[in-house]
């Protein structure tokens, strides 16, 4: 049983007929042995299906099969022998799947004492894969190149990261993003071109009136609300101050009824992610807080204030993170601790932070919302756990999208903050607070992000390559002068296009 059982990958192994049928038989047996190893290995989150190709016709047919297979999330190629690359042009020209070129060799070591020309003819990846790489570069094909022995963990981890990115990319083409209400009025960074987004990422971002939820909220059956309340009690701490207080407990039941409505609506529309806005809540008593948090815990993407790009990114990163520890959440850079030498970012939101990143069991609380003029919403309050994490955001410049990633160190909260009634995370951006924030701001990075302890920069790089968008990575190895120069060059290019 793999983490992703509804997606798999095609493993296309290249050779040619020049060396006779015995060599092709060896190639077939080796491809099967490698696929079996990958499929049994715990590091690999999805299955591969091997296929050996020897001619242009077989290559085109292999790519057509992959293209026509909706469960195929990507293609891994490897040349066991030389496989002349003009044979591959037709297949690559039709390819519609993410590509990974595995540059490996079936034999780990040179058999010094027995090596002969038969061995040399069979084990030609060293030059067969160069010919293969040339044609992909010649055709301008984006792909990941992974080098090393196919049984080594570092090689498997790089393939696994790409598989996670590819499954998130495939999921993005299938699921929808439901926007409940429009963008928060006057806000720029959360908005953007939804047509471009669908062309790039496959995201179908569709708008709906909040009345869709209000109607289902009014129709929510008491037994469905009770079932959600039961789940709240299992997953979260429901203190007596809320449970025994009829006014407060009613606010929790209202969130449960909103959740019943949201779940029904998301299932009916096939949406894997959604947005809300506190400016458009007609017919609902509260802003979805606890409801949005509990939905995120089940893998739904979420963006506040109409932020559909972040909602889709949270969904994508939750998909990448499946089966990994650490959690992934919608996040906002909220306020700073500017103690000299110990500068920190306090991340939070009005309500909607995912409990998957909580340090301990989150507590349900009811407090007034400081803006929006609605009832006091129920929400989960908790601290995010310490650990390495990434903060990622997608922005649109008018001439393209960019994924901006900052690697950070989440730290324990030093004080209790008893008057802050929201979930929160505290982190140090890398390479340093000042460098990271300068570069993030210069790149136009948003205040909303997807924050994850499970997703790695490598998965995000792979995802960005599949979408054909730029990525800016800010981490401990960032050369600030170099990246600043690059961002300023990009800025001048962007000005010339407007
Ligand atoms: Mn916000």
């Amino acid at each position: 049983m793999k983490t992703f059982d509804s997606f798999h990958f095609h493993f296309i192994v290249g050779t040619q007929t020049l060396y006779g049928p015995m060599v092709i038989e060896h190639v077939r047996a080796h491809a099967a042995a490698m696929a079996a190893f990958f499929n049994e290995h715990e590091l690999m989150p999805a299955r591969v299906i091997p296929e050996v190709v020897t001619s242009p016709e077989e290559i085109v047919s292999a790519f057509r099969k992959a293209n026509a297979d909706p469960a195929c999330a990507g293609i891994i190629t490897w040349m066991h022998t030389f496989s002349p690359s003009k044979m591959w042009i037709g297949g690559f020209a039709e390819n519609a799947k993410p590509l990974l070129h595995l540059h490996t060799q079936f034999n780990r070591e040179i058999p010094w004492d027995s090596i002969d020309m038969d061995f040399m003819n069979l084990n030609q990846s060293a030059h067969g894969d160069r010919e293969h790489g040339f044609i992909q570069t010649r055709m301008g094909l984006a792909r990941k190149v992974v080098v090393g022995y196919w049984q080594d963990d570092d090689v498997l981890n790089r393939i696994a990261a790409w598989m996670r990115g590819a499954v998130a990319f495939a999921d993005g083409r299938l699921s929808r993003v439901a926007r409940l209400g429009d963008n928060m009025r006057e806000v720029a960074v959360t908005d953007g071109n939804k047509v471009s987004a669908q062309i790039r990422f496959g995201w179908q971002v569709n708008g709906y009136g909040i009345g869709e939820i209000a109607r289902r909220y009014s129709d929510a059956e008491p037994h469905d609300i009770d079932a959600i309340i039961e789940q709240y009690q299992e997953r979260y701490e429901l203190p007596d101050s809320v449970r025994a207080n009829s006014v407060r407990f009613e606010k929790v039941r209202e969130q449960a009824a909103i959740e019943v409505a949201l779940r029904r609506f998301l299932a009916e529309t096939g949406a894997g992610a959604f947005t809300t806005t506190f400016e458009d809540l007609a017919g609902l008593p509260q802003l979805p807080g606890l409801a949005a948090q509990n939905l995120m815990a089940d893998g739904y993407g979420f963006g506040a204030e109409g932020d559909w790009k972040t909602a889709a990114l949270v969904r994508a990163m939750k998909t990448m993170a499946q089966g990994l520890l650490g959690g992934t959440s919608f996040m906002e850079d909220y306020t700073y601790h500017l103690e000299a030498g110990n500068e920190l970012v306090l991340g939070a939101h009005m309500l909607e932070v995912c409990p998957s990143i909580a340090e301990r069991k989150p507590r349900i609380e009811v407090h007034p919302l400081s803006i929006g003029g609605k009832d006091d919403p129920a929400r989960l309050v908790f601290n995010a756990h310490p650990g390495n994490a990434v903060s990622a955001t997608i922005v649109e410049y008018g001439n393209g999208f960019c994924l901006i990633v900052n690697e950070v160190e989440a730290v324990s909260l030093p004080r209790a903050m008893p008057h802050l009634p929201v979930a929160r995370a505290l982190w140090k951006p890398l390479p340093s607070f000042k460098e990271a924030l300068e570069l993030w701001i210069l790149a136009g990075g948003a205040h909303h992000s997807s924050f994850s302890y499970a997703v790695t920069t490598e998965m995000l790089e792979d995802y960005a390559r599949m979408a054909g968008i730029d990525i800016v990575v800010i981490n401990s190895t960032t050369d600030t002068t170099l990246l600043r120069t690059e961002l300023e060059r990009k800025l001048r290019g962007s000005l010339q296009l407007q």
Side-chain angles (χ1 to χ4, degrees):
M1 186 74 177
K2 289 290 185 189
T3 301
F4 302 115
D5 50 10
S6 49
F7 290 102
H8 55 243
F9 293 82
H10 288 203
F11 178 36
I12 306 181
V13 176
T15 182
Q16 60 177 330
T17 53
L18 184 69
Y19 318 107
M22 274 307 288
V23 165
I24 294 174
E25 278 320 298
H26 282 304
V27 171
R28 282 189 208 289
H30 294 169
M34 288 168 74
F37 178 83
F38 294 151
N39 290 342
E40 278 159 30
H41 205 287
E42 60 178 13
L43 287 176
M44 299 292 259
R47 292 177 57 79
V48 302
I49 298 170
E51 177 165 5
V52 172
V53 290
T54 66
S55 67
E57 293 72 22
E58 285 179 12
I59 291 166
V60 166
S61 157
F63 277 93
R64 285 184 183 162
K65 256 189 283 179
N67 289 342
D69 178 1
C72 172
I75 294 173
I76 301 171
T77 58
W78 167 57
M79 302 306 106
H80 196 316
T81 68
F82 201 74
S83 178
S85 281
K86 276 158 77 175
M87 299 203 306
W88 288 77
I89 291 174
F92 279 138
E94 291 190 25
N95 178 48
K97 301 286 181 177
L99 293 171
L100 182 147
H101 180 189
L102 174 59
H103 182 43
T104 189
Q105 179 171 285
F106 187 72
N107 256 64
R108 187 193 281 275
E109 294 177 5
I110 293 174
W112 304 105
D113 297 331
S114 64
I115 187 167
D116 56 12
M117 279 317 289
D118 286 344
F119 180 92
M120 297 276 275
N121 278 334
L122 181 58
N123 295 282
Q124 297 188 61
S125 306
H127 67 288
D129 273 333
R130 289 172 207 240
E131 165 79 354
H132 193 63
F134 166 74
I135 200 63
Q136 294 182 77
T137 296
R138 175 68 175 78
M139 293 177 75
L141 301 176
R143 77 280 188 190
K144 182 174 193 173
V145 180
V146 175
V147 181
Y149 190 59
W150 52 279
Q151 292 186 10
D152 289 348
D153 281 0
D154 68 315
V155 168
L156 296 173
N157 277 323
R158 292 201 71 206
I159 299 172
W162 173 82
M163 284 179 163
R164 291 179 174 281
V167 169
F169 189 63
D171 172 80
R173 303 182 96 78
L174 298 172
S175 70
R176 292 172 171 80
V177 181
R179 291 187 86 206
L180 297 162
D182 204 284
N183 199 61
M184 181 177 166
R185 286 184 277 281
E186 317 288 8
V187 177
V189 76
T190 50
D191 224 326
N193 189 324
K194 298 193 283 293
V195 175
S196 297
Q198 187 166 348
I199 293 168
R200 277 281 152 227
F201 304 96
W203 300 337
Q204 301 170 60
V205 184
N206 295 328
Y208 299 88
I210 194 70
E212 296 279 2
I213 307 304
R215 179 164 59 78
R216 289 171 179 81
Y217 168 78
S218 304
D219 293 345
E221 301 279 352
H223 66 269
D224 290 330
I225 299 170
D226 291 342
I228 298 276
I229 293 281
E230 235 169 82
Q231 193 180 58
Y232 290 165
Q233 286 173 329
E234 280 162 25
R235 291 182 172 184
Y236 315 120
E237 185 194 332
L238 185 59
D240 281 344
S241 57
V242 174
R243 195 201 309 261
N245 179 313
S246 60
V247 176
R248 288 189 186 140
F249 192 64
E250 187 49 33
K251 305 295 181 203
V252 177
R253 283 193 70 83
E254 284 175 0
Q255 283 287 334
I258 293 170
E259 186 171 332
V260 168
L262 278 167
R263 279 187 190 274
R264 196 155 291 163
F265 173 77
L266 294 169
E268 285 166 14
T269 51
F274 67 105
T275 70
T276 59
T277 170
F278 66 90
E279 288 176 335
D280 185 359
L281 291 174
L284 288 184
Q286 309 170 26
L287 177 66
L290 177 54
Q293 291 176 296
N294 199 44
L295 281 159
M296 260 192 281
D298 283 346
Y300 284 98
F302 174 80
E305 291 104 31
D307 188 348
W308 51 273
K309 293 194 299 297
T310 305
L313 182 61
V314 170
R315 165 71 180 194
M317 288 172 66
K318 280 181 172 289
T319 305
M320 290 175 207
Q322 259 181 57
L324 301 176
L325 296 174
T328 300
S329 178
F330 172 73
M331 187 59 73
E332 178 166 312
D333 302 88
Y334 224 107
T335 199
Y336 289 146
H337 181 67
L338 292 178
E339 178 190 346
N342 185 33
E343 291 90 348
L344 298 164
V345 179
L346 182 69
H349 206 256
M350 282 191 296
L351 304 172
E352 313 92 334
V353 177
C354 178
S356 66
I357 66 169
E359 187 167 36
R360 346 196 135 72
K361 204 169 192 179
R363 193 174 55 250
I364 296 175
E365 298 187 14
V366 178
H367 301 278
L369 191 67
S370 45
I371 48 179
K374 283 280 174 176
D375 279 4
D376 302 352
R379 81 286 303 272
L380 295 169
V381 179
F382 58 86
N383 294 340
H385 62 85
N388 297 327
V390 295
S391 171
T393 192
I394 289 179
V395 293
E396 201 212 342
Y397 300 131
N399 59 351
F401 294 92
C402 184
L403 176 59
I404 303 165
V405 181
N406 187 200
E407 293 179 16
V408 307
E409 280 173 22
V411 298
S412 295
L413 281 93
R415 305 280 186 86
M417 300 193 290
H419 303 294
L420 185 68
V422 290
R424 49 281 178 104
L426 191 65
W427 67 83
K428 283 178 202 254
L430 298 174
S432 70
F433 179 91
K434 290 180 185 175
E435 289 169 292
L437 272 298
E438 178 191 335
L439 295 167
W440 184 278
I441 299 273
L442 201 51
H447 56 285
H448 284 170
S449 62
S450 175
F451 190 85
S452 177
Y453 298 83
V455 169
T456 61
T457 297
E458 184 174 11
M459 295 175 204
L460 293 167
E461 283 171 336
D462 292 343
Y463 181 82
R465 190 183 309 109
M466 290 166 204
I469 65 162
D470 284 345
I471 181 167
V472 170
V473 175
I474 306 165
N475 64 15
S476 61
T477 65
T478 293
D479 179 329
T480 300
T481 308
L482 200 68
L483 185 49
R484 183 194 294 122
T485 307
E486 193 185 311
L487 291 171
E488 288 181 329
R489 185 180 300 128
K490 227 164 99 169
L491 201 63
R492 285 191 295 275
S494 157
L495 283 174
Q496 281 156 16
L497 282 169
Q498 278 170 5

